[in-house]
């Protein structure tokens, strides 16, 4: 004959074990997710931050800034370009990129590059994203009247 009090203790212990196992599983999943994100995370740097505290050689980072006027050069192989990214504080980073440049990539415009620093302090970009201002309209739509700002942005007070 079993004691009803020991039954209650046994059920209570089973629930406690389930709660402990569930917490261990949640904590384990959190550690796995953090470990996986650590290897995939790209930290965003501006040229001034790289000059002040350079990242480790080979560490994946994201560089953002402006393409310095007069710095864009195509290297001898014909597909690699070299340019300088600068920020508001006049810090600069030399960048090399091999591939097709984005359509909006020009000197004096904003750029975001994914890549890594090499041993010589040159940023080797794997991917370039050209930034544009909020007034950008694609070339194909520049002649269309509906995209003229004075006709599309009429304040509500003027329409009544």
């Amino acid at each position: 004959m079993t004691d009803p009090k020991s039954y209650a203790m046994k059920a209570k212990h089973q629930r406690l074990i389930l709660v402990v196992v569930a917490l261990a599983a949640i904590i384990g999943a959190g550690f796995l997710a953090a470990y996986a994100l650590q290897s995939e995370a790209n930290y965003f740097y501006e040229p001034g931050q790289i000059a002040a505290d350079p990242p480790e050689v080979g560490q994946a980072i994201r560089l953002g800034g402006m393409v310095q006027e007069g710095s864009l050069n195509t290297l001898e192989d014909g597909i690699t370009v070299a340019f300088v990214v600068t920020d508001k504080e006049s810090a600069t980073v030399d960048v090399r990129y091999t591939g097709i440049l984005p359509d909006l990539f020009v000197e004096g415009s904003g750029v975001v590059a994914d890549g890594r620093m090499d041993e010589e302090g040159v940023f080797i970009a794997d991917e370039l994203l050209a930034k544009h201002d909020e007034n950008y309209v694609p070339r194909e739509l520049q002649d269309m009247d509906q995209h003229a700002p004075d006709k599309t942005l009429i304040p509500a007070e003027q329409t009544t």
Side-chain angles (χ1 to χ4, degrees):
M1 184 157 199
T2 59
D3 184 18
K5 195 172 183 179
S6 69
Y7 243 177
M9 288 298 288
K10 196 172 189 177
K12 192 174 185 178
H13 284 154
Q14 286 177 343
R15 280 182 278 173
L16 183 63
I17 289 172
L18 283 175
V19 168
V20 169
V21 169
L23 285 175
I26 290 171
I27 291 170
F31 279 120
L32 286 175
Y35 179 76
L37 289 175
Q38 184 180 14
S39 63
E40 295 295 322
N42 282 350
Y43 297 104
F44 184 83
Y45 283 86
E46 292 180 351
Q49 293 170 321
I50 288 178
D53 185 23
E56 293 180 25
V57 172
Q59 177 187 358
I61 62 171
R62 181 171 283 182
L63 171 67
M66 303 294 287
V67 179
Q68 190 173 44
E69 296 281 343
S71 69
L72 185 60
N73 293 316
T74 302
L75 300 184
E76 294 173 1
D77 64 0
I79 57 171
T80 302
V81 292
F83 57 95
V84 175
V85 174
T86 185
D87 61 6
K88 297 174 189 168
E89 300 167 357
S90 300
T92 60
V93 174
D94 293 328
V95 178
R96 303 279 184 275
Y97 174 71
T98 302
I100 299 171
L101 293 173
D103 290 339
L104 299 174
F105 183 82
V106 292
E107 293 178 346
S109 68
V111 66
V112 175
D114 288 335
R116 57 200 90 252
M117 300 297 291
D118 71 359
E119 298 85 17
E120 299 170 0
V122 176
F123 185 82
I124 307 299
D126 300 323
E127 182 179 0
L128 286 182
L129 300 171
K131 294 169 56 179
H132 57 79
D133 67 0
E134 64 276 358
N135 296 323
Y136 171 76
V137 176
R139 241 181 264 153
E140 296 83 15
L141 301 178
Q142 286 178 347
D143 296 333
M144 298 179 75
D145 290 337
Q146 64 200 30
H147 290 283
D150 57 342
K151 293 183 179 179
T152 56
L153 300 175
I154 300 171
E157 304 89 44
Q158 293 179 357
T159 58
T160 56

